[in-house]
């Protein structure tokens, strides 16, 4: 972060934190009974709260701005914006950053273990997608019942993937090989797979015409958005199709293991299999991603906490890298709001975004492949 950005951030926080201190203490003071004693007690509390906020704020701000992982705030914003514009989970890039780049920055930067890096990437992704989910939910573009049917398959397999993540992370060559394969596959997916808009158009032209819907013999669902727009689409097959269950289970296990996969397999099923309009499909898909990724993140952190002496709460406090997530979480929240803004303005074309993401994933995949090959040869 350059000096101008730091100065701007410092000025903003210095002006707002005293008011925040007053906002938190005023309700407490208001609850004190009105008597002369209470009044004499309340006034010093109000004054002290403001003086504490005023005099300790510079130290807090300086510590935050000059923190060890302060560079991750703008980095997380860029990563979250890029991934959401490309429709890819943020953990696809956060895990490589934690595993590949941090070791080159110095011995104090890498996290305690590869498992902690995977869990931190998942936790960061959850906050990023939760920011987007709140927007979809406010607009009435999430079908929670349909999401629940997919979660029946994705959550149990994400649990299995999360439980196996610790053992995979303990084998660096295996973990690097998996990431190399996945990153290169993701690059090919972005280059070759049709965009959601193209899938929706093809479904509307071929599979979602009125006569085709009647032939499928499935119930039609209706969804009314907050702005009054009405959407109609098919209910998922009762019990689910065999191919759909297998795809959702595979995506859930990959999400539990590596942090990415469930969104890429669910969205096409909603658009093609259910003839769901893209706005509702995107919102429902994000709901599935958030729930699946959060489940995997909780299990991974609980597994790490179980290996720490003391209570489970003490273990969680010890294993969560708070000095890192205090920067990545605000970054992805900002990126979650910046991506829709850039998309609505057409700042970047879809082809430019996907080409950039595909090249980036290919570079990451090749880097993991080289690192795995080098480790294998040296062993």
């Amino acid at each position: 972060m350059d000096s101008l950005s730091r100065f701007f951030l410092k000025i903003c926080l210095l002006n707002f934190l005293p008011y925040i201190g007053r906002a938190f203490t005023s309700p407490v003071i208001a609850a004190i009974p009105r008597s002369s004693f209470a009044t004499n007690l309340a006034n010093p509390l109000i004054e002290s709260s403001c003086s504490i906020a005023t005099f300790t704020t510079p130290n807090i701000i300086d510590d935050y701005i000059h923190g060890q992982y302060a560079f991750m705030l703008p980095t997380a914003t860029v990563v979250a914006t890029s991934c959401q514009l490309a429709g890819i989970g943020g953990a696809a890039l956060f895990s490589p950053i934690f595993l590949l780049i941090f070791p080159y920055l110095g011995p104090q930067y890498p996290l305690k273990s590869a498992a902690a890096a995977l869990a931190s990437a998942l936790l960061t992704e959850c906050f990023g997608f939760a920011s987007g989910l709140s927007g979809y939910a406010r607009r009435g573009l999430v079908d929670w019942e349909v999401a629940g049917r997919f979660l029946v398959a994705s959550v149990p397999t994400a649990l299995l993937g999360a439980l196996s993540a610790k053992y995979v992370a303990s084998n660096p060559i295996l973990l690097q090989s998996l990431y190399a394969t996945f990153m290169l596959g993701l690059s090919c997916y972005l280059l070759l797979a049709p965009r959601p808009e193209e899938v929706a158009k093809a479904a509307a032209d071929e599979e979602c015409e009125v006569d085709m819907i009647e032939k499928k013999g499935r119930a039609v669902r209706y969804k009314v958005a907050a702005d009054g727009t009405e959407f109609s689409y098919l209910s998922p097959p009762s019990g689910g199709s065999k191919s759909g269950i297998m795809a959702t289970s595979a995506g859930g296990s990959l999400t539990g293991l590596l942090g990415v996969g469930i969104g890429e397999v669910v969205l096409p099923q909603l658009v093609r299999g259910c003839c769901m309009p893209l706005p509702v499909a995107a919102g429902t898909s994000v709901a599935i991603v958030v729930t699946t990724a959060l489940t995997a993140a909780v299990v991974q952190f609980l597994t790490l906490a179980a290996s720490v002496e003391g209570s489970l709460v003490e273990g969680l406090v010890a294993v969560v890298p708070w000095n890192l997530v205090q920067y990545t979480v605000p970054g992805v929240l900002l990126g979650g709001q910046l991506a829709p803004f850039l998309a609505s303005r057409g700042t970047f074309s879809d082809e430019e975004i996907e080409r950039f993401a595909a090249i980036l994933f290919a570079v990451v995949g090749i880097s993991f492949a080289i690192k795995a090959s080098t480790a294998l040869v040296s062993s």
Side-chain angles (χ1 to χ4, degrees), residues 300-354:
Q300 289 191 16
F301 275 120
L302 287 176
T303 303
L304 292 172
S307 61
V308 178
E309 294 183 0
S311 66
L312 187 61
V313 175
E314 293 173 343
L316 284 173
V317 172
V319 298
V320 176
W322 302 106
N323 57 339
L324 172 63
V325 298
Q326 67 175 333
Y327 296 104
T328 58
V329 169
V332 297
L333 291 176
L334 179 59
Q337 302 302 316
L338 186 59
F341 172 76
L342 294 177
S344 64
R345 292 176 62 89
T347 307
F348 303 102
S349 67
D350 295 340
E351 292 76 13
E352 291 173 339
I353 295 169
E354 292 193 348

Side-chain angles (χ1 to χ4, degrees), residues 26-93:
S26 294
V28 178
I29 302 303
I32 300 176
R34 296 301 179 186
S35 65
S36 58
F37 172 77
T39 303
N40 293 332
L41 176 66
N43 289 332
L45 282 174
I46 295 176
E47 294 173 1
S48 63
S49 68
C50 295
S51 62
I52 290 173
T54 302
F55 289 109
T56 62
T57 292
N59 294 331
I60 296 174
I61 297 173
D62 285 340
D63 290 343
Y64 187 80
I65 293 176
H66 297 92
Q68 178 182 359
Y69 293 105
F71 65 93
M72 283 304 299
L73 179 60
T75 301
T77 303
V78 172
V79 168
T81 303
S82 302
C83 288
Q84 291 208 25
L85 285 173
I88 300 297
L93 281 179

